Amino acid sequence: RCKFFSLTETPEDYTIMLDEEGFKELPPSEFLQVADSTWLVLSVVSNGRAPSGSQATGVTKIARSVIAPLAEHHVSVLMLSTYQTDFILVRERDLPVVIHTLAGEFDIYKEESGECVPVTCDDVSNGFLKPKPAASPTLHPVQSPQTRFCVLTVAPDTLPSIATMLIDVLFYSHSPPREAGASSQDLNSSTFFAFSLIEGYISIVMDAETQKRFPSDLLLTSSSGELWRMVRIGGQPLGFDECGIVAQIAEPLA
């Protein structure tokens, strides 16, 4: 089973994704809103199998070969990119449609007791739902704040060294200051912080100013040290039932 935890901070709230066992450990709270769907993790790799250390195909190929066909079949997805690889989350009830949609282009495997077992369409043929007639997708406004971001990873054994700093940044720090000359809301700095822990691999996304607060020898990034800009889709929270959002943006870029 894939051990999975992700915490993301945005200007509006915190979003948590975690595996079923982790969810059972959370105490009930009136401040915790839980989506009514269970999601499954798909990992796309270049050789069709999913052993550890495989080279992922990359989000651009995923957009064309996976996300776009699923959008045509009205399957909503959650896209999660980490330092190590990219993942697609689909609702458990949509899995029959996902398998039938992708079986023609991919060899599909499921994990059982730590082993990858081939999946055939016959295994889920009774649950297959035919796609609805294509409808015009909803177009959302996009914004690109001036904030520059770093995509980083940290070795699990060094995590305790920065744990206190992570907690302070996530829950007690203020939003990054606006840069000089930013006059419109589209150009304002934006609060965003993401921490993902997937099967022992840690991935962190933070703004460049926040990175300076951490020890430089513990956070690892690409050899070029490239910085990233954010494209924010929509001016309000997007519904889980809406499909095609990722495809509208990623497919043309791919």
Side-chain angles (χ1 to χ4, degrees):
R1 300 177 63 87
C2 180
K3 298 302 294 181
F4 190 94
F5 176 85
S6 175
L7 191 152
T8 304
E9 178 194 18
T10 66
E12 292 82 15
D13 52 26
Y14 295 94
T15 300
I16 301 174
M17 292 188 286
L18 68 168
D19 58 76
E20 189 174 19
E21 293 301 318
F23 176 73
K24 293 178 181 178
E25 298 179 10
L26 286 180
S29 171
E30 61 177 314
F31 304 105
L32 187 65
Q33 299 181 359
V34 183
D36 60 357
S37 300
T38 302
W39 297 73
L40 302 177
V41 178
L42 305 180
S43 178
V44 184
V45 293
S46 57
N47 61 355
R49 300 179 182 269
S52 60
S54 294
Q55 178 67 36
T57 60
V59 69
T60 53
K61 293 182 179 178
I62 289 175
R64 281 186 172 175
S65 57
V66 179
I67 297 175
L70 293 180
E72 293 176 358
H73 285 72
H74 296 261
V75 175
S76 182
V77 304
L78 292 174
M79 187 73 199
L80 179 66
S81 292
T82 71
Y83 186 91
Q84 290 79 19
T85 187
D86 303 297
F87 297 90
I88 304 170
L89 283 82
V90 298
R91 286 175 296 193
E92 189 172 27
R93 65 172 181 261
D94 288 335
L95 185 60
V97 183
V98 172
I99 293 177
H100 274 266
T101 302
L102 303 179
E105 298 292 333
F106 293 91
D107 295 325
I108 303 177
Y109 295 81
K110 59 183 177 181
E111 186 174 319
E112 292 185 353
S113 303
E115 299 292 331
C116 293
V117 181
V119 175
T120 65
C121 291
D122 294 338
D123 293 338
V124 292
S125 58
N126 291 336
F128 178 57
L129 303 176
K130 294 183 178 180
K132 301 175 183 178
S136 299
T138 302
L139 298 178
H140 295 281
V142 296
Q143 300 175 349
S144 182
Q146 288 188 340
T147 313
R148 297 183 299 173
F149 294 91
C150 308
V151 179
L152 310 153
T153 187
V154 59
D157 57 350
T158 63
L159 182 60
S161 303
I162 61 171
T164 303
M165 183 68 70
L166 282 173
I167 294 173
D168 179 65
V169 168
L170 272 170
F171 303 112
Y172 300 106
S173 296
H174 298 291
S175 301
R178 296 182 178 182
E179 297 183 11
S183 57
S184 67
Q185 185 170 348
D186 288 357
L187 299 179
N188 287 346
S189 296
S190 177
T191 300
F192 183 87
F193 187 98
F195 176 92
S196 300
L197 173 62
I198 302 175
E199 295 185 325
Y201 293 99
I202 298 173
S203 177
I204 302 174
V205 180
M206 68 176 76
D207 63 88
E209 289 301 313
T210 300
Q211 183 197 11
K212 296 177 182 178
R213 300 174 55 181
F214 290 83
S216 59
D217 58 333
L218 296 182
L219 298 180
L220 306 177
T221 185
S222 64
S223 58
S224 63
E226 61 185 356
L227 297 177
W228 297 71
R229 290 285 295 272
M230 173 195 295
V231 175
R232 180 175 177 175
I233 306 172
Q236 58 187 2
L238 304 173
F240 284 124
D241 289 331
E242 187 172 351
C243 61
I245 300 173
V246 180
Q248 288 179 45
I249 303 299
E251 189 176 12
L253 297 179

